[in-house]
Amino acid sequence: MIRKKVTVQNAAGIHARPASLIVKEATRFESEFHVHMYGYRINGKSILGLLTLAAEEGAELELELDGPDEEEAMERIATLFNNGFKMTDK
Amino acid sequence: MQEENAHKPNITLNGITAVTGLVMGIARIYTRGNININPDPVDEARLPDEKKKFRQARKTVGMTMERLSDFADSRNDSDTRDIMNAQYEILNDPELETRVYQLIDQKNFRAEKAIYDAFQHYIDLIKSTNKSFLVTRLSDLHDMRDRLILNVQQLAVIASFGKDAVMVSEDVSPVEVITFARNGVRGIICTAGGLTSHASIIANAMGIPMIIGAKSVLRTVQDGDTIILDGYGQNVIVRPDDETSSSYTRVIKRQKEEDKFLRHVIDKPAETLCGTRIALQANIDFEDEVLNIDKYRAEGIGLLRTDTLLMNAGPLTMDRSRQEDFCQTAYSGSGSGMVTVRLLDVGGDKLLNIKHKEANPFLGWRGVRILLDRRELLQSQLEAICRVAGRYPGRTRILVPMISNLEEFLEVKKELADMQELLEKRGVPVDRNAKLGIMVEVPSVALQIRQFAPHVDFFSIGTNDLTQYTLAVDRGNNLIASLYQPMHPAVLTFISMTVKAGEEFDIPVAVCGELASDPFAALVLTGLGVRELSMTPRLIPKVKQAVRLHDLEEIKSVSRKVLECNNRSERETIRMEWREAYDLKLKEERSKINTL
């Protein structure tokens, strides 16, 4: 299991579009994925869970990955946050 | 006047036949009702059913998300695409599923109540954050919730109808047609609807007679009335009197005998009296239809439409494994026959309820034009096909739709070679002998067919589009319906030119439009030299019977006559003369069979 802290960098926060990008990326991997924020821990493969975090710009979250492909998954998901959820092809 | 009609017996209403056939049954008025939630718990024993209802509704809603339109929409409209992506994820949310199941299991809720409460949990949580960037966008959640609940309720309504139901509705969606088919509905009557709509294509594939454009039917019929759907006469008869019902009962009985009689040709070869073989192949849209290939002894698949997969796939993409599964089912269900997989042919008539508008969709962004702009889609299709083709060497034809320029074809050819090379490098077996051909449906292609011939492996003629492009007639337009003439000499000339080029360059020529399933038209095409006809499998025996009772010279002389005649009424006369002679042949054949 690995953990990493990330910050929400896009101005609009995690609304439906970024949340669906996160889910889409995360479901490509076998590893289990959870997100921690304000003491909550939600399933990161659930878009509804992500939305209930109501994470705005500047919010700090901790990503938790656990499984055979956790390293690669972490890198891909963290990149999404760091790019401010800009659409990237492939 | 409409009011007066509400109880009168024997009212005949006109419509347009979308799927031919004749049925009598009990009218069931079908509407998409309002949401209402029944909060009462159900018996323990029914809980698995409630969970199943949720799963079915989720599947159905996923299909109805009109990916086709949103896919087209999304070219420039990233907002729509984002909404679609988000809705897709909401629908498939694993936590939502768990919560729905828990509510069913622990509180004995009905599916609709469990769905409502599961969504409400999230809606309340989001509201309580007081973050306007989320609260203002709750409509997606409401929308998905309502669509799921509506679907659960619809399934229950449809399942409650008897096997003699004839659905009467304003309009039906493709998914509703599938649900009707699975519940054994006899016929469908709509007040609205276009001939080329996806719903009618599905009804045809499922063998459900359908009449559309019966404008006043909903004002005339009462739920539970006896109703006749006459696809041959293009009308609907509400509350038939005794005389009318008994005469229709006789016709329906004769029809059943006819179907029984046709069974005797099923195992016989499709050849003329003089021994010319015609390959009668299957048009296949859905996995459900694959069983019909063997049932009606189709010689392989002349047209495997992949368009329906797009409706089930994720936004913007077609899931490759789903495409692979579909192809796999098709290959394994078609013996040793050839399988002609047509690449995505969306746009124009395949787009239902589109938000994306083009001034002339039939002349617009469709078929190969979309695929070349969306390479990843083309590549995913080619990869899926190549992977399956490798498992069944020598059986693959890949058909490229909406070709209007040679360059487009050469571009696809290159993509295919690249994909084969890539897969070989990865150690995946491929079939280097897979054939690549084009749809002949644009007049410019037919005119220059000899320029295409050296590059392609086969031609497949799509008579529907070839007719509408050649005659400049939109076949969905009622005002000019009589101008839509697939047997027009200009169309037949193009077909004949294609056949001649095929003979000259030794390339197979097939016809895969609906025209091929009409026995008279099938003979005319045979007379022009077409040797492969592809159609809805259940129509094969009828065509085979016609082929078997003629010799080639007879057939050729009919073709010549049709090719030479200058107007529709002359053509109708030829058809009627042929029909009379053919009826005699059939009578003779029937008495032969009966004495055996």
Side-chain angles (χ1 to χ4, degrees):
Chain A
M1 204 244 302
I2 52 171
R3 285 172 169 236
K4 186 173 188 169
K5 283 202 167 110
V6 290
T7 307
V8 177
Q9 303 195 349
N10 63 319
I14 300 185
H15 57 91
R17 187 185 79 90
S20 69
L21 288 177
I22 296 169
V23 172
K24 211 172 202 178
E25 195 67 59
T27 46
R28 280 184 201 169
F29 297 95
E30 241 180 88
S31 296
E32 283 192 26
F33 172 45
H34 288 89
V35 180
H36 297 258
M37 189 178 153
Y38 314 133
Y40 290 107
R41 178 175 182 267
I42 59 101
N43 180 352
K45 294 185 181 183
S46 158
I47 186 172
L48 293 168
L50 286 168
L51 289 176
T52 57
L53 292 177
E56 286 177 300
E57 185 181 13
E60 279 206 356
L61 291 78
E62 194 171 26
L63 311 180
E64 174 198 313
L65 279 141
D66 189 5
D69 46 11
E70 57 190 28
E71 296 284 346
E72 199 193 342
M74 179 65 86
E75 197 192 316
R76 301 293 299 250
I77 297 166
T79 307
L80 274 179
F81 277 87
N82 295 334
N83 289 343
F85 305 106
K86 281 194 194 69
M87 281 288 277
T88 45
D89 287 325
K90 304 233 164 158
Chain B
M1 194 183 97
Q2 303 299 351
E3 296 299 315
E4 284 169 32
N5 273 350
H7 296 288
K8 274 190 186 165
N10 220 38
I11 295 167
T12 302
L13 305 169
N14 294 324
I16 302 158
T17 301
V19 180
T20 190
L22 173 61
V23 290
M24 183 153 69
I26 303 300
R28 292 294 176 192
I29 294 174
Y30 177 74
T31 47
R32 297 179 192 124
N34 295 323
I35 305 282
N36 70 61
I37 310 289
N38 183 342
D40 302 335
V42 293
D43 291 343
E44 201 78 33
R46 273 189 49 192
L47 299 182
D49 288 343
E50 297 301 317
K51 286 193 225 170
K52 196 171 155 203
K53 278 189 204 165
F54 167 66
R55 283 195 299 274
Q56 278 186 344
R58 191 170 58 180
K59 203 169 151 193
T60 312
V61 172
M63 285 168 82
T64 45
M65 277 170 74
E66 290 151 13
R67 294 284 153 60
L68 290 175
S69 56
D70 294 288
F71 162 69
D73 249 6
S74 63
R75 280 189 303 159
N76 299 313
D77 182 358
S78 57
D79 288 347
T80 310
R81 181 178 53 202
D82 291 343
I83 292 168
M84 291 303 300
N85 281 333
Q87 289 187 335
Y88 182 78
E89 299 301 349
I90 293 169
L91 193 62
N92 292 296
D93 193 302
E95 298 291 319
L96 178 76
E97 181 186 58
T98 308
R99 197 165 285 276
V100 170
Y101 286 173
Q102 272 172 2
L103 288 164
I104 293 173
D105 279 333
Q106 292 166 8
K107 300 199 173 176
N108 292 19
F109 280 166
R110 286 163 205 268
E112 63 251 45
K113 171 77 173 151
I115 293 167
Y116 188 87
D117 283 11
F119 270 96
Q120 208 53 44
H121 166 80
Y122 289 104
I123 290 167
D124 289 345
L125 271 178
I126 291 170
K127 276 188 184 159
S128 71
T129 66
N130 270 325
K131 300 275 168 65
S132 66
F133 79 101
L134 290 175
V135 175
T136 55
R137 298 184 205 198
L138 279 172
S139 61
D140 283 343
L141 261 69
H142 292 135
D143 187 34
M144 294 315 287
R145 176 194 68 192
D146 293 352
R147 278 151 84 172
L148 281 168
I149 293 172
L150 205 52
N151 199 267
V152 165
Q153 294 176 341
Q154 271 168 10
L155 288 174
V157 170
I158 295 168
S160 72
F161 294 144
K163 294 285 177 208
D164 53 0
V166 174
M167 309 307 283
V168 182
S169 177
E170 201 170 307
D171 201 359
V172 291
S173 71
V175 182
E176 283 162 342
V177 175
I178 294 173
T179 316
F180 292 165
R182 291 189 178 145
N183 284 283
V185 159
R186 277 194 191 162
I188 302 170
I189 300 164
C190 293
T191 55
L195 257 188
T196 52
S197 82
H198 219 113
S200 58
I201 293 174
I202 294 172
N204 187 37
M206 301 290 187
I208 306 179
M210 179 171 177
I211 280 196
I212 58 176
K215 291 195 187 85
S216 53
V217 67
L218 279 173
R219 283 175 302 202
T220 312
V221 76
Q222 313 278 331
D223 194 82
D225 279 347
T226 300
I227 195 164
I228 295 168
L229 184 167
D230 179 0
Y232 303 102
Q234 312 239 16
N235 56 36
V236 172
I237 299 156
V238 183
R239 293 179 292 276
D241 56 25
D242 290 348
E243 201 186 323
T244 313
S245 358
S246 62
S247 83
Y248 270 100
T249 307
R250 277 197 300 277
V251 179
I252 291 168
K253 193 171 161 234
R254 217 182 305 142
Q255 213 178 46
K256 282 191 179 145
E257 281 165 6
E258 176 80 1
D259 287 346
K260 216 167 128 193
F261 162 65
L262 280 174
R263 268 181 235 152
H264 88 275
V265 294
I266 280 185
D267 282 315
K268 293 183 180 156
E271 60 184 24
T272 60
L273 286 174
C274 53
T276 305
R277 291 290 298 239
I278 310 293
L280 301 179
Q281 305 162 332
N283 288 356
I284 298 290
D285 295 67
F286 308 97
E287 288 190 21
D288 293 38
E289 282 178 281
V290 170
L291 286 176
N292 284 347
I293 298 172
D294 182 54
K295 186 173 173 195
Y296 297 106
R297 306 288 189 275
E299 273 185 58
I301 300 176
L303 179 62
L304 184 70
R305 295 190 176 101
T306 55
D307 314 340
T308 39
L309 286 174
L310 191 62
M311 298 165 58
N312 302 330
L316 283 174
T317 53
M318 286 175 84
D319 180 8
R320 203 200 70 223
S321 67
R322 268 200 55 97
Q323 297 189 64
E324 242 182 272
D325 290 349
F326 184 47
C327 289
Q328 178 70 39
T329 309
Y331 278 79
S332 64
S334 51
S336 57
M338 291 297 282
V339 177
T340 311
V341 189
R342 185 172 68 185
L343 300 179
L344 206 56
D345 190 18
V346 294
D349 65 329
K350 304 298 189 303
L351 287 178
L352 198 61
N353 301 328
I354 51 169
K355 283 171 237 148
H356 162 76
K357 290 260 187 269
E358 293 182 30
N360 288 302
F362 284 105
L363 308 179
W365 197 58
R366 53 178 300 177
V368 73
R369 300 167 180 183
I370 294 178
L371 293 170
L372 289 177
D373 284 350
R374 294 272 166 187
R375 291 296 167 114
E376 69 286 355
L377 199 55
L378 173 61
Q379 286 155 358
S380 92
Q381 282 219 287
L382 291 175
E383 179 171 355
I385 298 166
C386 286
R387 280 174 179 271
V388 180
R391 292 171 218 153
Y392 300 92
R395 289 183 53 195
T396 301
R397 283 180 177 177
I398 301 170
L399 182 55
V400 190
M402 197 58 194
I403 289 280
S404 56
N405 279 296
L406 184 58
E407 289 78 7
E408 293 164 332
F409 177 75
L410 296 177
E411 198 62 34
V412 176
K413 199 171 185 175
K414 191 173 163 294
E415 289 282 358
L416 175 62
D418 288 351
M419 180 53 70
Q420 288 173 330
E421 203 182 314
L422 183 77
L423 290 174
E424 275 175 342
K425 269 191 198 149
R426 290 194 207 150
V428 181
V430 299
D431 178 9
R432 283 283 187 176
N433 283 321
K435 308 293 181 205
L436 189 65
I438 60 167
M439 290 287 290
V440 178
E441 51 192 344
V442 179
S444 63
V445 172
L447 271 171
Q448 293 194 291
I449 197 77
R450 296 181 75 262
Q451 270 88 327
F452 283 86
H455 303 278
V456 309
D457 298 322
F458 66 96
F459 292 127
S460 184
I461 301 169
T463 48
N464 297 348
D465 281 341
L466 182 62
T467 304
Q468 77 167 356
Y469 292 138
T470 303
L471 304 178
V473 173
D474 171 3
R475 76 169 183 147
N477 185 336
N478 292 338
L479 298 173
I480 51 172
S482 66
L483 292 177
Y484 181 83
Q485 300 168 8
M487 307 275 266
H488 190 285
V491 180
L492 295 184
T493 303
F494 279 148
I495 295 175
S496 172
M497 285 164 71
T498 307
V499 170
K500 285 189 181 125
E503 283 164 2
E504 188 185 334
F505 289 85
D506 199 19
I507 302 169
V509 176
V511 170
C512 64
E514 279 311 307
L515 190 61
S517 63
D518 167 44
F520 179 68
L523 291 179
V524 171
L525 293 168
T526 305
L528 294 176
V530 178
R531 293 292 174 269
E532 295 183 20
L533 301 170
S534 192
M535 64 201 77
T536 305
R538 70 190 163 83
L539 302 173
I540 287 177
K542 209 170 192 173
V543 172
K544 192 192 274 184
Q545 177 69 82
V547 167
R548 289 179 54 82
L549 292 179
H550 291 82
D551 69 44
L552 199 56
E553 279 317 309
E554 246 179 310
I555 295 172
K556 279 184 178 168
S557 106
V558 174
S559 289
R560 265 197 302 273
K561 276 193 231 163
V562 174
L563 199 53
E564 279 161 17
C565 76
N566 285 317
N567 59 55
R568 197 185 174 138
S569 67
E570 270 178 45
R571 216 156 40 233
E572 278 311 305
T573 312
I574 298 169
R575 180 199 280 270
M576 270 150 66
E577 281 170 11
W578 166 81
R579 187 72 230 189
E580 264 172 48
Y582 182 49
D583 280 342
L584 288 177
K585 289 183 189 218
L586 278 176
K587 205 171 163 191
E588 214 176 292
E589 182 74 4
R590 212 168 277 142
S591 64
K592 244 193 265 173
I593 304 282
N594 289 341
T595 53
L596 279 181

